[in-house]
Amino acid sequence: MSITCQLSNLTSKKANQSTGGVRKPLFFLILCGLTTSVVIVLLIFSPLSKKEETSSCNGEARVLFRHKNVSTSEIHALVSFFSDSDQVTSFECRKESTSGLRSNYCITCSLNMEKQSCHERQCFIPDGGVPWNLNPSGLEHSISPEACVSDNLEQSILQPKEHENHGEEPENHGEELDWDLSTYLRNTWWWLILGVLVCHKIFAFHSKAPTERKEKGSLQEPLAQKQQRGQAPSKGAGRWRKNILLLGVMAGVSVSIWWFWDTNEKIISIRRETLANMCDERARVLQDQFNVSLNHVHALSILVSTFHHGKTPSAIDQKTFGEYTERTNFERPLTSGVAYALKVTHSDREKFEKEHGWTIKKMETEDQTLVQDCVPENFDPAPIQDEYAPVIFAQETVSHIISLDMMSGEEDRENILRARASGKGVLTSPFKLLKSNHLGVVLTFAVYDTSLPPNATEEQRVEATIGYLGASYDMPSLVEKLLQQLASKQTIAVDVYDTTNASGLIKMYGSEIGDISEQHISSLDFGDPSRSHEMHCRFKHKLPIPWTAITPSALVLIITFLVGYIFNEALIRIATVEEDCQKMMELKARAEAADVAKSQFLATVSHEIRTPMNGVLGMLKMLMDTDLDAKQMDYAQTAHGSGKDLISLINEVLDQAKIESGRLELENVPFDMRFVLDDVSSLLSGKANEKDIELAVYVSSQVPDVVVGDPSRFRQIITNLVGNSIKFTQDKGHIFISVHLADEVREPHNIEDAVLKKRLALGCSESGETVSGFPAVNAWGSWRNFKTFYSTENHNSDKIKLLVTVEDTGVGIPLDAQGRIFTPFMQADSSTSRTYGGTGIGLSISKRLVELMQGEMGFVSEPGIGSTFSFTVVFGKAETNLPVTKFERFDLAIQEFKGLRALVIDSRNIRAEVTSYHLQRLGISADIVSSLSMACTCVSKLRNLAMILIDKDAWNKKDFAVLDELLNSSKESTTRPPKILLLATSATPVERSEMKSSGLIDEVVIKPLRMSVLICCLQETLVNGKKRQPNRKRRNLGHLLRDKRILVVDDNLVNRRVAEGALKKYGATVACVESGKAALAMLKPPHNFDACFMDLQMPEMDGFEATRRVRDLEREINKKIASGEASADMFSKVSSWHVPILAMTADVIQATNEECMKCGMDGYVSKPFEEETLYTAVAKFFEFG
Amino acid sequence: MELVQMQKNLQDYTKSLFLEGILDSQFLQLQQLQDESNPDFVSQVVSLFFQDSDRILNDLSLSLDQQVVDFKKVDPHVHQLKGSSSSIGAQRVKNACVVFRSFCEQQNVEGCHRCLQQVKQEYYLVKNRLETLFKLEQQIVASGGMIPAMELGF
């Protein structure tokens, strides 16, 4: 009970685990999906970023190209301007200086870049070498500087070529990137698989190890000990496996974290570098532009000095100046306007004012807010000062400042003074410009007399100053314009500060937006050493979420956890499996022990039941022998029948138990299989005839007469199968038992045996010829599956393999039940036992018996058609000269029949073959025809026909009349006409006597045919003396009893007379006495009686008493003879007296029998005498006499 | 022709005896014991049986008519009768004797009386029939025919 419970538990657990097993592949699928998706994402990302970089590169290239373009277009403008005024020489000089300046800058710039690129490469090269640390974004970023380097270095090279380079390089990088990524992923994958495999190996080894150890342990070992041995190592292994798993998971997590950190760091540093690069670049561009403007303003100042002051009259007036400055405005990209102010001393003010027709006005600083209504007329005249610097020429954009005194503005005055002193361009600090109200700076150049030496002192310079050229820079709009031209302006926010006054930064341009945490400062040099400026750059947006860092590390993390989970599951599974295995081993051992115990119990119990059952049966038998009325008899018979059934069941169970516990041993005695089959068929013929089933037995002629084996077990198998067949066959058809050599069947093409040939030739057709004509399942199907059937190894000369087939036309076995047909106590259907009875153990026993006989059992069955059971057995070959075990009485008969000829008329060929087989056993050769009419045609040809056997199916009165006439007509020629025998499956005595009395046939033979029946019938018909056999037997009995002197003791006169008559019949000399006393007197030694038959119940002295006394007498005398008191001569020279005394009794009860033996009797015969019993009883004593 | 008819009559008559259950196979055995050396065996034995049975039945009637029935005397008589009847195959007599003995064991006087009547009835029946049988046989023998052997196997 508990075992089954636990078993069911285990199975349910298993079921659970199996569902877990289904879950696991799902995880793997998810894992695979994740990896592939990540790979795809990475592949998509990399070309995108590449594109971005190339576009930025292109943008930068474009900027640079524009610079170049700008300078060339500037030259073009100058050329066009000066070509008008025929002044080419001075232009050429300028051109040289500008181009020289330009290339100089370019070289420094490119050098810087190279340094950077080298730095980048240093990171890049190790990256390429170690794919593990590879950082895609880093790699991608390294592209841009390199591209820029090439861009910068090969500035003079044609643009298309540059484009080509741009096109190629990113591609190469892309390929490299792809390759690295894929190898990296592949490697990881391989490592993962390898890891899984290794772990699996380890697990397998560990799970195997304990079981192996267990197997080594002998079964007798106590279970507990086994458990300890099994569990201890497995537990230890489980612990260290868990630890390793934990370590592995931790390692995976740390790798993932490290990876994330490393990648993130790289991303940040690259971002910083990018920022610095961009900032520097912007600063450079701004500075560059500013310098360009500065230079140009310087040139303008020289222009003014040359053409305004150097020439008289002046070559420049307001109109020329305005036009020129307007046309060359593109040369000064950062200026909003230029103006020229003249140095006027106070003494010259009058003259100047008169000359120009306007007064010098003062710049009103307080009014600067009102830029919109800034009209020069509104300004007040400048206050009296030493010097004035009234604007005389101005660009159109700033024409409103003409006549304004620059010296009156604070910033301007200071600026003018400094410019005059230094002789260089000077910048003001940022202030709000007039009119535009933007923050701006003013650049001022002093215009000197042309005669100023290059190393002039400050005083000389002030002296030589004749005017000032100013240019205003509108910082915000200009910087904006400049930045517009640069790429990725959206990503970067730029601020420009004036840092001359260290304590207070003056913001010239910028906004508050952007990520303040990270900014880069580049210094700006606008050519004025006294003023310093700075550019602050920062990213507009905060650092984006670093997916490139997160994705792979998250992936590693996921993989780690997944693998960890899988291994954890596996560990748990292993642990449970090991535990279950332990339990199963335990349960198995218990189950095995229980099984052995069960078998032993069954064997013992059934044996114990059998003994008392025999008593019960014996008593019932005796009870039935007593005088019972019909009702009692019925009861007793029922009881006896039930008891017999019970005994047979117990025997079956005992057999099963014996086989299971391996205690069944097979006999090895020579026996004739044909007689065994005869026995079986005669035993079961009653049942078969009741059901009107035809029972036929056929043994191939190649099967030897005598084989060595266990006849009783062989018989049991056959009886079982045939009994089953009878049980399941309903009132029609046949049961056909056939025996062949396995060798015969093995080669279907050279079959000599007629019956086998016919059966096999039918193929699998079910409507083929069978014994009864009803379809049966082809037996070939059941032979085919035998494993040992085709093996030729058993070709020992002393072994023969037989194939036995039992074919029936029964209900068949349902297809779904065919698998369990050999399971003990399992009938095809539980309803079967209700319908047909039986325990279902027979087939199982048969199968096991067959297996014990080194054979196999199989079957084919089709419901509704029938079943065919086949089995093979291996028997020993008997020695050729072994005394034949046939009954002697048959020997004589066979001698009589040898050489006779018979004609078998049967419509069914197989059945005719079976009949002829039985005739051949008697030495009668048989011819076969299929019908009576055919018999008519051939009967005349057959000479010396001793008999004609006609099957009832072929019987036909009309045809037979013809045949009979034919036979009678040929009566003259032959000595006697052949006897006619009719073969019938069943016939009542009345039918038989009718048939016989009709005079047409001589005898009816009831099938199944068997030797004894056939011999009897043939003897009766052929020899025509039905008393012949009994006579022969009597002769034997007479031989035994002839001239024997026998004393009959019986008080009953009639009995005495009958006994006397019977014994006399056998030639004995009989003396009769009527009482025990008389008998005692007669049997007192010496006497000459050879035997005494004594009645038991007699008045005065019964048989027991009389016998006892006789024995006493005999003992006394024997003692005397032995001791020499009396000589043997006195007692007819008999040394030891012992007259056989046989009891005559009506009731042969065991108890009586025992009593008989107790009082010294030698046996008993039933009264009235029956030949057989008398013979057997007497034979004991007179065999050797 | 008459002989054949007589033989057939005898056969039929014998058969009827068996079919009615008056005789059983023991009688056939008895017939088989009769041969050339002992031609009147059956009739001898049967006449012995008649003498013996007449005596026994007489004794039984006397014993049972007494005031106090001594069953120890009755039983051996019945036993005797049973033995001899079974020896010649007088089946119904034997069966009646079996019942008689059981009543004797029970010491049932009334039952014994009834059984005695039954036994007597059966005895006279078998006696009558057997005498007829022997008469028929004698007729056949007198007319020089053979007594046909009875068939076994009923």
Side-chain angles (χ1 to χ4, degrees):
Chain A
M1 192 63 181
S2 63
I3 291 174
T4 52
C5 271
Q6 275 166 331
L7 271 171
S8 67
N9 267 350
L10 281 175
T11 46
S12 67
K13 250 187 227 169
K14 241 183 213 167
N16 285 346
Q17 275 164 2
S18 70
T19 53
V22 176
R23 238 182 288 146
K24 226 154 268 172
L26 230 152
F27 269 113
F28 268 111
L29 270 178
I30 291 168
L31 191 90
C32 291
L34 270 170
T35 2
T36 45
S37 62
V38 161
V39 166
I40 289 164
V41 162
L42 283 176
L43 286 177
I44 289 169
F45 262 113
S46 49
L48 267 180
S49 49
K50 243 186 290 162
K51 248 180 235 167
E52 219 171 84
E53 291 305 321
T54 46
S55 72
S56 76
C57 272
N58 281 342
E60 276 155 46
R62 223 181 299 135
V63 169
L64 287 167
F65 180 61
R66 196 171 301 142
H67 283 232
K68 196 190 158 206
N69 244 3
V70 162
S71 53
T72 44
S73 61
E74 186 186 7
I75 290 157
H76 276 289
L78 262 177
V79 167
S80 67
F81 180 76
F82 286 108
S83 61
D84 292 345
S85 36
D86 296 323
Q87 287 168 336
V88 186
T89 38
S90 63
F91 158 66
E92 273 180 15
C93 153
R94 292 287 167 255
K95 187 185 161 193
E96 262 179 22
S97 72
T98 46
S99 67
L101 199 107
R102 194 143 184 90
S103 64
N104 204 21
Y105 161 68
C106 277
I107 285 159
T108 53
C109 164
S110 63
L111 272 172
N112 276 347
M113 294 302 270
E114 197 162 33
K115 216 188 272 170
Q116 274 173 2
S117 78
C118 275
H119 175 65
E120 282 293 329
R121 266 202 195 149
Q122 271 167 358
C123 342
F124 171 68
I125 289 162
D127 276 3
V130 188
W132 189 273
N133 292 335
L134 171 116
N135 186 345
S137 60
L139 201 139
E140 283 154 20
H141 277 284
S142 70
I143 298 165
S144 62
E146 213 172 19
C148 290
V149 166
S150 66
D151 209 22
N152 285 331
L153 282 174
E154 301 174 16
Q155 217 173 12
S156 55
I157 297 169
L158 287 169
Q159 192 66 21
K161 207 169 183 183
E162 269 178 71
H163 268 292
E164 267 175 31
N165 282 350
H166 275 299
E168 275 167 31
E169 266 173 277
E171 255 178 41
N172 288 340
H173 280 288
E175 273 174 1
E176 219 169 40
L177 185 82
D178 275 358
W179 186 83
D180 280 339
L181 253 177
S182 62
T183 42
Y184 150 65
L185 281 172
R186 209 182 302 143
N187 283 350
T188 338
W189 197 240
W190 281 122
W191 273 111
L192 223 126
I193 287 168
L194 193 74
V196 169
L197 280 176
V198 165
C199 290
H200 188 265
K201 275 280 166 201
I202 289 166
F203 290 150
F205 172 72
H206 270 271
S207 53
K208 214 184 278 174
T211 50
E212 271 174 3
R213 246 172 273 162
K214 258 178 264 159
E215 274 163 23
K216 275 177 203 163
S218 64
L219 270 169
Q220 283 79 18
E221 218 174 351
L223 279 170
Q225 205 177 325
K226 218 192 281 181
Q227 261 173 304
Q228 277 177 351
R229 281 178 61 174
Q231 272 171 356
S234 77
K235 267 188 184 169
R239 211 172 299 131
W240 76 255
R241 274 182 294 208
K242 277 251 160 82
N243 288 342
I244 280 185
L245 181 67
L246 205 67
L247 271 175
V249 169
M250 275 158 68
V253 169
S254 51
V255 161
S256 152
I257 289 167
W258 169 80
W259 196 340
F260 173 75
W261 176 82
D262 185 55
T263 320
N264 202 31
E265 277 301 292
K266 267 179 197 158
I267 287 171
I268 288 167
S269 71
I270 282 157
R271 189 175 150 92
R272 205 170 286 145
E273 270 163 29
T274 318
L275 184 68
N277 284 340
M278 287 169 96
C279 196
D280 286 344
E281 185 205 336
R282 270 154 184 73
R284 255 194 323 274
V285 168
L286 190 64
Q287 194 177 314
D288 188 29
Q289 294 275 32
F290 198 88
N291 282 340
V292 168
S293 302
L294 184 89
N295 286 336
H296 197 266
V297 172
H298 194 189
L300 203 61
S301 71
I302 290 163
L303 188 88
V304 169
S305 117
T306 312
F307 291 100
H308 184 59
H309 298 284
K311 293 241 177 183
T312 37
S314 168
I316 298 174
D317 56 359
Q318 167 62 29
K319 190 176 167 252
T320 320
F321 188 83
E323 201 178 324
Y324 176 75
T325 49
E326 202 59 49
R327 282 180 68 181
T328 56
N329 194 34
F330 63 89
E331 292 274 21
R332 307 176 297 273
L334 298 175
T335 58
S336 54
V338 286
Y340 179 66
L342 207 62
K343 182 186 172 188
V344 179
T345 53
H346 188 66
S347 54
D348 295 334
R349 181 175 170 167
E350 300 274 331
K351 181 189 164 198
F352 178 80
E353 280 179 346
K354 265 181 210 164
E355 204 171 301
H356 282 87
W358 38 260
T359 53
I360 298 168
K361 291 179 183 85
K362 180 188 157 202
M363 219 192 293
E364 290 293 338
T365 43
E366 54 269 31
D367 285 348
Q368 276 187 352
T369 44
L370 309 160
V371 179
Q372 57 269 37
D373 42 30
C374 172
V375 182
E377 284 75 26
N378 295 349
F379 292 112
D380 299 329
I384 294 155
Q385 281 175 319
D386 292 344
E387 249 184 62
Y388 305 97
V391 176
I392 52 168
F393 303 135
Q395 201 178 337
E396 286 297 308
T397 49
V398 289
S399 55
H400 57 276
I401 58 162
I402 290 176
S403 82
L404 280 184
D405 178 17
M406 285 296 140
M407 293 292 259
S408 60
E410 183 111 359
E411 296 282 339
D412 292 326
R413 181 188 163 81
E414 197 184 318
N415 229 20
I416 287 166
L417 292 179
R418 274 204 299 132
R420 194 166 65 178
S422 65
K424 284 179 181 168
V426 171
L427 282 172
T428 62
S429 63
F431 63 98
K432 291 219 166 163
L433 287 178
L434 287 174
K435 199 176 177 184
S436 69
N437 204 21
H438 283 174
L439 268 181
V441 288
V442 173
L443 171 71
T444 312
F445 268 99
V447 179
Y448 300 102
D449 235 344
T450 42
S451 56
L452 190 73
N455 49 356
T457 60
E458 230 171 85
E459 287 79 30
Q460 280 177 323
R461 281 181 203 271
V462 174
E463 250 347 85
T465 304
I466 47 170
Y468 320 98
L469 192 71
S472 69
Y473 290 80
D474 182 354
M475 280 314 264
S477 61
L478 292 175
V479 173
E480 198 112 351
K481 212 196 284 171
L482 181 74
L483 292 179
Q484 288 266 307
Q485 296 167 354
L486 290 171
S488 58
K489 61 178 189 298
Q490 290 93 345
T491 55
I492 283 184
V494 176
D495 292 343
V496 181
Y497 292 94
D498 185 308
T499 55
T500 316
N501 190 352
S503 57
L505 297 177
I506 302 160
K507 196 176 203 176
M508 292 162 74
Y509 167 80
S511 54
E512 294 306 318
I513 51 158
D515 179 15
I516 310 146
S517 64
E518 207 179 336
Q519 70 176 8
H520 183 82
I521 299 167
S522 308
S523 61
L524 289 169
D525 178 18
F526 286 145
D528 183 356
S530 62
R531 295 213 162 263
S532 57
H533 297 85
E534 273 179 3
M535 182 182 262
H536 293 198
C537 297
R538 59 186 186 275
F539 282 105
K540 271 182 185 166
H541 306 290
K542 289 213 167 183
L543 185 69
I545 301 161
W547 285 115
T548 43
I550 287 169
T551 328
S553 55
L555 199 73
V556 168
L557 204 66
I558 287 166
I559 288 171
T560 309
F561 279 125
L562 276 179
V563 170
Y565 173 76
I566 288 164
F567 279 108
N568 190 38
E569 277 294 296
L571 283 180
I572 291 166
R573 177 85 198 272
I574 285 165
T576 50
V577 164
E578 271 174 3
E579 204 175 303
D580 287 358
C581 188
Q582 293 286 340
K583 275 186 200 161
M584 291 298 259
M585 293 297 285
E586 194 187 328
L587 291 178
K588 191 186 159 216
R590 276 163 66 181
E592 276 169 355
D595 196 46
V596 170
K598 183 208 79 182
S599 292
Q600 279 173 352
F601 170 78
L602 270 179
T604 319
V605 163
S606 44
H607 187 77
E608 289 303 315
I609 292 172
R610 221 152 56 135
T611 320
M613 265 318 281
N614 278 332
V616 171
L617 280 183
M619 284 300 142
L620 277 171
K621 185 86 190 150
M622 281 185 260
L623 183 67
M624 277 154 64
D625 287 339
T626 57
D627 302 308
L628 301 171
D629 65 20
K631 216 170 185 181
Q632 288 169 328
M633 196 63 177
D634 183 44
Y635 293 162
Q637 270 171 347
T638 312
H640 188 251
S642 311
K644 266 166 109 176
D645 286 350
L646 182 59
I647 274 284
S648 70
L649 170 64
I650 289 165
N651 283 343
E652 279 181 348
V653 171
L654 186 62
D655 278 348
Q656 177 82 19
K658 263 187 184 168
I659 293 167
E660 271 179 14
S661 57
R663 287 195 296 183
L664 190 86
E665 277 174 19
L666 292 176
E667 262 187 290
N668 250 344
V669 293
F671 70 100
D672 188 334
M673 164 170 333
R674 290 175 173 86
F675 280 104
V676 171
L677 291 172
D678 274 354
D679 279 352
V680 173
S681 64
S682 70
L683 187 75
L684 296 167
S685 62
K687 276 190 201 169
N689 286 346
E690 261 173 45
K691 284 190 150 188
D692 204 15
I693 302 163
E694 192 165 348
L695 189 63
V697 179
Y698 177 81
V699 180
S700 164
S701 57
Q702 297 195 29
V703 176
D705 286 337
V706 181
V707 291
V708 178
D710 191 331
S712 64
R713 294 299 174 187
F714 181 69
R715 187 192 152 115
Q716 193 182 351
I717 298 166
I718 301 265
T719 313
N720 248 326
L721 291 180
V722 177
N724 252 351
S725 291
I726 291 173
K727 197 154 63 174
F728 292 110
T729 305
Q730 300 292 354
D731 297 338
K732 69 172 173 96
H734 67 271
I735 290 157
F736 183 35
I737 309 161
S738 65
V739 183
H740 296 278
L741 284 185
D743 293 338
E744 279 183 87
V745 187
R746 194 175 293 141
E747 289 160 26
H749 300 294
N750 342 317
I751 291 169
E752 286 169 27
D753 192 80
V755 170
L756 192 62
K757 208 183 226 168
K758 286 216 173 70
R759 291 175 78 181
L760 289 184
L762 300 173
C764 22
S765 73
E766 287 148 8
S767 55
E769 192 179 346
T770 57
V771 172
S772 66
F774 285 98
V777 182
N778 196 340
W780 179 248
S782 61
W783 303 338
R784 211 170 21 198
N785 295 330
F786 290 158
K787 276 177 229 145
T788 55
F789 196 62
Y790 293 97
S791 69
T792 46
E793 61 186 70
N794 264 2
H795 257 295
N796 301 344
S797 53
D798 57 338
K799 295 274 178 201
I800 48 165
K801 188 181 269 184
L802 296 180
L803 175 72
V804 185
T805 312
V806 178
E807 176 188 283
D808 71 47
T809 57
V811 292
I813 302 161
L815 291 174
D816 56 328
Q818 290 190 0
R820 54 170 195 268
I821 212 78
F822 289 122
T823 319
F825 304 108
M826 192 82 87
Q827 283 187 334
D829 185 353
S830 57
S831 64
T832 314
S833 55
R834 263 177 268 139
T835 322
Y836 302 102
T839 54
I841 202 174
L843 278 177
S844 153
I845 291 171
S846 302
K847 188 174 165 65
R848 292 194 180 229
L849 284 176
V850 164
E851 278 160 9
L852 280 176
M853 292 181 185
Q854 304 162 51
E856 282 175 282
M857 186 177 248
F859 68 95
V860 281
S861 180
E862 273 184 51
I865 290 174
S867 316
T868 302
F869 281 82
S870 304
F871 65 91
T872 58
V873 280
V874 176
F875 284 130
K877 266 185 194 160
E879 290 156 44
T880 42
N881 291 330
L882 205 82
V884 186
T885 52
K886 281 178 189 170
F887 300 106
E888 274 178 37
R889 56 187 174 132
F890 288 149
D891 253 358
L892 209 74
I894 289 167
Q895 288 300 320
E896 278 175 44
F897 298 133
K898 202 157 219 165
L900 294 180
R901 294 189 68 173
L903 182 67
V904 178
I905 303 170
D906 196 335
S907 51
R908 306 206 177 281
N909 215 319
I910 288 189
R911 194 162 52 185
E913 289 287 353
V914 170
T915 311
S916 100
Y917 147 73
H918 283 286
L919 289 172
Q920 270 162 10
R921 285 175 72 189
L922 299 178
I924 301 168
S925 58
D927 293 287
I928 297 169
V929 289
S930 63
S931 69
L932 279 169
S933 49
M934 273 180 73
C936 293
T937 58
C938 68
V939 77
S940 52
K941 293 174 209 158
L942 297 165
R943 300 267 154 186
N944 300 325
L945 208 57
M947 66 197 93
I948 297 174
L949 294 104
I950 308 166
D951 196 88
K952 210 180 170 189
D953 291 349
W955 174 256
N956 181 331
K957 246 181 188 169
K958 208 178 95 192
D959 284 338
F960 183 71
V962 179
L963 182 67
D964 198 35
E965 211 170 289
L966 206 69
L967 290 171
N968 285 331
S969 67
S970 61
K971 209 172 183 176
E972 291 88 14
S973 57
T974 51
T975 45
R976 44 183 183 176
K979 299 286 177 187
I980 312 293
L981 291 120
L982 190 70
L983 301 171
T985 313
S986 59
T988 57
V990 182
E991 274 182 299
R992 285 172 71 176
S993 55
E994 256 176 38
M995 288 270 200
K996 272 200 269 183
S997 58
S998 69
L1000 291 174
I1001 54 169
D1002 297 293
E1003 185 63 85
V1004 178
V1005 184
I1006 301 292
K1007 285 190 273 188
L1009 290 179
R1010 47 193 191 273
M1011 204 177 204
S1012 52
V1013 171
L1014 208 57
I1015 285 175
C1016 284
C1017 291
L1018 292 181
Q1019 271 181 341
E1020 275 184 34
T1021 46
L1022 290 178
V1023 187
N1024 203 15
K1026 58 186 163 186
K1027 276 192 181 174
R1028 197 188 153 90
Q1029 201 182 337
N1031 281 351
R1032 197 151 53 87
K1033 267 164 129 189
R1034 194 169 295 157
R1035 206 159 51 226
N1036 283 343
L1037 197 56
H1039 177 68
L1040 269 179
L1041 292 175
R1042 187 170 297 283
D1043 299 328
K1044 293 282 187 293
R1045 294 174 57 79
I1046 293 170
L1047 181 68
V1048 173
V1049 187
D1050 199 332
D1051 60 322
N1052 191 318
L1053 183 64
V1054 180
N1055 284 358
R1056 213 155 57 216
R1057 185 76 188 84
V1058 171
E1060 188 192 346
L1063 291 172
K1064 267 188 181 162
K1065 185 94 189 163
Y1066 306 132
T1069 314
V1070 183
C1072 293
V1073 288
E1074 56 178 6
S1075 74
K1077 272 185 183 166
L1080 200 59
M1082 295 288 275
L1083 288 174
K1084 188 177 157 56
H1087 61 80
N1088 53 3
F1089 290 110
D1090 295 305
C1092 171
F1093 286 83
M1094 192 174 290
D1095 188 28
L1096 290 177
Q1097 275 194 333
M1098 287 182 293
E1100 289 177 60
M1101 184 189 280
D1102 65 9
F1104 300 120
E1105 183 61 30
T1107 312
R1108 226 170 279 133
R1109 295 215 181 166
V1110 171
R1111 292 297 177 234
D1112 285 346
L1113 275 173
E1114 282 174 348
R1115 214 172 295 127
E1116 221 171 281
I1117 285 163
N1118 284 348
K1119 215 185 273 172
K1120 274 185 193 167
I1121 293 167
S1123 61
E1125 272 181 53
S1127 70
D1129 294 337
M1130 261 174 71
F1131 302 101
S1132 310
K1133 293 180 182 174
V1134 178
S1135 59
S1136 170
W1137 285 94
H1138 183 97
V1139 65
I1141 298 176
L1142 297 157
M1144 289 192 294
T1145 172
D1147 33 24
V1148 192
I1149 302 172
Q1150 190 76 16
T1152 321
N1153 187 22
E1154 274 169 23
E1155 210 178 326
C1156 292
M1157 298 303 161
K1158 219 190 273 172
C1159 66
M1161 289 184 178
D1162 299 281
Y1164 66 92
V1165 284
S1166 63
K1167 202 167 57 167
F1169 287 161
E1170 276 169 23
E1171 265 180 48
E1172 292 281 336
T1173 49
L1174 185 62
Y1175 178 83
T1176 48
V1178 171
K1180 264 199 286 194
F1181 310 106
F1182 301 125
E1183 257 175 341
F1184 309 106
Chain B
M1 195 59 212
E2 202 180 303
L3 188 63
V4 175
Q5 188 56 48
M6 271 168 17
Q7 281 179 338
K8 194 159 174 21
N9 282 349
L10 177 64
Q11 257 183 337
D12 289 346
Y13 188 72
T14 319
K15 205 181 263 180
S16 73
L17 288 179
F18 283 105
L19 288 173
E20 283 171 49
I22 295 169
L23 293 178
D24 66 8
S25 60
Q26 187 57 36
F27 186 74
L28 289 174
Q29 298 255 3
L30 219 57
Q31 279 187 324
Q32 280 170 17
L33 290 178
Q34 177 173 302
D35 56 10
E36 296 82 18
S37 61
N38 206 349
D40 297 326
F41 180 70
V42 178
S43 56
Q44 275 176 21
V45 170
V46 169
S47 57
L48 261 176
F49 170 67
F50 289 158
Q51 288 167 20
D52 201 34
S53 300
D54 283 338
R55 182 183 56 83
I56 290 168
L57 286 172
N58 246 345
D59 288 354
L60 276 173
S61 306
L62 284 171
S63 308
L64 285 173
D65 283 344
Q66 276 167 3
Q67 286 290 320
V68 180
V69 180
D70 185 1
F71 285 103
K72 280 186 182 164
K73 270 187 187 169
V74 176
D75 189 58
H77 286 306
V78 184
H79 180 70
Q80 278 272 16
L81 187 58
K82 188 194 146 205
S84 45
S85 61
S86 74
S87 278
I88 65 151
Q91 197 172 232
R92 285 164 75 155
V93 178
K94 188 194 93 179
N95 288 344
C97 286
V98 169
V99 182
F100 200 159
R101 280 194 76 184
S102 70
F103 280 121
C104 285
E105 270 174 48
Q106 293 166 21
Q107 309 212 333
N108 185 336
V109 182
E110 200 194 328
C112 285
H113 275 290
R114 233 187 307 126
C115 277
L116 182 63
Q117 290 312 309
Q118 176 80 20
V119 168
K120 273 184 180 168
Q121 199 181 317
E122 297 292 351
Y123 169 65
Y124 290 125
L125 180 69
V126 74
K127 190 177 179 185
N128 191 11
R129 293 293 173 90
L130 282 176
E131 275 167 353
T132 319
L133 185 73
F134 287 136
K135 229 173 263 170
L136 277 170
E137 280 187 3
Q138 276 164 6
Q139 279 175 5
I140 293 167
V141 173
S143 53
M146 280 281 289
I147 298 166
M150 277 310 298
E151 204 174 312
L152 284 162
F154 280 92

